[in-house]
């Protein structure tokens, strides 16, 4: 029997998703090199805003994980099988036995009950699950938009880089956890800072890209907003404050004083160890780090308020108002965290508001760049 011409034509073309052996990343990359047929910048912008909210949730749960000392409760990295928690009593006992082999249990939590272990396990498991969810929330819609050729020109590899950054963040998270499994009773504060700052950089990049796409939806000729010189200065000042905050959290330096504005009745705290040099003190001494985090916050607040003033003078309304609101909330929560003796939920709100501050600052700096472009 002869095959009809339409059927022959149908078989001459590959299926729309490409040959099965090609890796998903390669297929997405190939689709992104093709010219968009139906660009949908507004839909992509809404998608990235949703992912940004999810990243903020991950940062908040990460704060709970740190404050409850839950980060070392899962001693293995299983990207696929680790999705499910232990489902039987035997599985729970096996996980508990693994935890008993690390220094944190032997030196700090010796004699912990299984019920207490389940409580800390939950927060670390939830933190990892949300991290995986961020990856899926980026990669799966990205594959769909790429297949539909709906990604505007110039944004394909940028979006793929955001998805890759989530994978890198997962690797950094395990690198951080691994630092506390052998010779330490906690994770390295340097690695913790790397983990947190990478998450916040991802958040800022999501917001910036979402705003670029939103602008493109309103003006098809619009170009991505540049990061200006003053914007870089503001970003660096805020990054220093975020780094200090991460080190304070990693070294439990918030507990060294519970009064404000003094620290244990002194403006400059007593007990700073200078014996190993200035740099070691700046990066490792809990008294000095607590002091620096307190007072650099005023430098960061001033920089952000000046940014709000500049934007307001140029006619912006939303970004300046949000900056004023979030800066005031963050400063207040920081003080309350100290005077409460590190109340867990106040401290979590402090970290959550810090993530919101990063998102609002990214939006404000994007507006600054768009106004000056």
């Amino acid at each position: 029997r002869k095959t009809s011409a339409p059927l022959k034509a149908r078989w001459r073309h590959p299926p729309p998703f490409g040959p099965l052996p090609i890796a998903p990343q390669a297929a997405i990359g190939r689709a992104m090199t093709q010219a968009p047929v139906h660009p949908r910048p507004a839909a992509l912008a809404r998608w990235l805003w949703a992912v940004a909210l999810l990243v903020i949730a991950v940062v908040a749960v990460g704060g709970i994980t740190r404050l409850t000392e839950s980060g070392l409760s899962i001693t293995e990295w299983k990207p696929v099988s680790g999705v499910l928690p232990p489902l039987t009593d035997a599985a729970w006992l096996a996980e508990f036995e693994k935890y008993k082999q690390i220094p944190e249990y032997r030196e700090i939590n010796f004699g912990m009950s299984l019920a207490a272990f389940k409580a800390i396990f939950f927060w670390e498991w939830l933190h990892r699950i949300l991290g995986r969810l961020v990856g899926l929330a980026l990669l799966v819609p990205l594959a769909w938009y790429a297949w539909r050729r709906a990604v505007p020109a110039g944004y394909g590899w940028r979006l793929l880089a955001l998805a890759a950054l989530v994978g890198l963040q997962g690797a950094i998270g395990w690198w951080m956890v691994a630092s506390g499994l052998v010779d330490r009773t906690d994770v390295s504060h340097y690695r913790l800072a790397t983990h947190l700052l990478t998450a916040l950089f991802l958040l800022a990049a999501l917001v910036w890209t979402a705003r670029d796409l939103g602008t493109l939806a309103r003006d098809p000729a619009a170009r991505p907003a540049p990061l200006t010189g003053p914007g870089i200065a503001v970003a660096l000042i805020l990054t220093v404050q975020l780094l200090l905050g991460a080190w304070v959290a990693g070294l439990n330096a918030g507990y060294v004083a519970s009064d404000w504005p003094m620290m244990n009745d002194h403006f400059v705290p007593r007990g700073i160890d200078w014996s190993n040099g200035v740099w070691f003190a700046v990066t490792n001494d809990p008294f000095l780090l607590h002091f620096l985090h307190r007072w650099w916050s005023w430098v960061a607040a001033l920089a952000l308020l000046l940014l709000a003033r500049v934007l307001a003078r140029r006619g912006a309304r939303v970004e300046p108002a949000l900056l004023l609101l979030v800066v005031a909330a963050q400063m207040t929560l920081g003080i309350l965290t100290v005077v409460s003796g590190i109340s867990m939920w106040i401290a979590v709100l402090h970290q959550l508001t810090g993530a919101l501050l990063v998102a609002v600052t990214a939006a404000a700096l994007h507006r600054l760049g768009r106004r000056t472009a």
Side-chain angles (χ1 to χ4, degrees), residues 16 67 112 183 294 333:
L67 289 161
M112 169 186 274
D183 300 318
R294 282 188 180 200
L333 286 168

Side-chain angles (χ1 to χ4, degrees), residues 183-244:
D183 300 318
R184 303 169 55 104
T185 59
D186 57 3
V187 300
S188 162
H189 65 290
Y190 296 118
R191 299 189 187 189
L192 183 145
T194 304
H195 187 51
L196 177 60
L197 292 182
T198 304
L200 295 176
F201 176 78
L202 171 65
L203 174 60
L206 286 166
V207 170
W208 196 284
T209 306
R211 296 214 69 172
D212 273 344
L213 288 165
T215 304
L216 186 65
R218 295 187 295 271
D219 178 9
R223 298 177 62 84
L227 182 59
T228 65
I232 292 173
V234 171
L236 289 176
I237 290 171
L238 181 58
T239 298
V240 169
Q241 179 64 3
L242 296 170
L243 176 63
L244 290 170

Side-chain angles (χ1 to χ4, degrees), residues 97-116:
E97 286 301 318
K98 295 173 187 175
Y99 178 67
K100 288 180 179 181
Q101 306 307 310
I102 69 172
E104 182 181 75
Y105 174 81
R106 296 194 303 266
E107 299 180 29
I108 297 177
N109 290 330
F110 187 80
M112 169 186 274
S113 67
L114 180 59

Side-chain angles (χ1 to χ4, degrees), residues 101-169:
Q101 306 307 310
I102 69 172
E104 182 181 75
Y105 174 81
R106 296 194 303 266
E107 299 180 29
I108 297 177
N109 290 330
F110 187 80
M112 169 186 274
S113 67
L114 180 59
F117 171 72
K118 288 181 178 181
I120 63 172
F121 186 98
F122 168 78
W123 289 114
E124 174 64 8
W125 173 80
L126 180 61
H127 186 54
R128 295 190 185 193
I129 287 296
L130 288 174
R132 291 177 173 92
L133 186 58
V134 170
L136 289 175
L138 267 174
L139 193 58
V140 173
L142 177 57
W144 168 256
Y145 284 123
W147 179 67
R148 299 288 296 176
R149 294 171 67 183
V151 178
Y155 284 87
W157 291 110
R158 186 167 163 184
L159 294 172
L160 194 58
L162 290 174
L165 187 58
V166 177
L168 175 63
Q169 175 68 343

Side-chain angles (χ1 to χ4, degrees), residues 289-327:
L289 283 170
H290 187 136
F291 175 79
L292 292 173
H293 186 54
R294 282 188 180 200
W295 299 109
W296 188 261
S297 67
W298 294 93
V299 178
L302 178 61
L304 293 170
L305 294 178
L306 287 174
L307 171 63
R309 185 170 181 235
V310 169
L311 290 176
R313 284 186 168 184
R314 296 182 180 182
R317 293 291 179 266
V318 176
E319 292 87 354
L322 287 176
L323 277 173
L324 290 171
L325 177 63
V326 180
V327 167

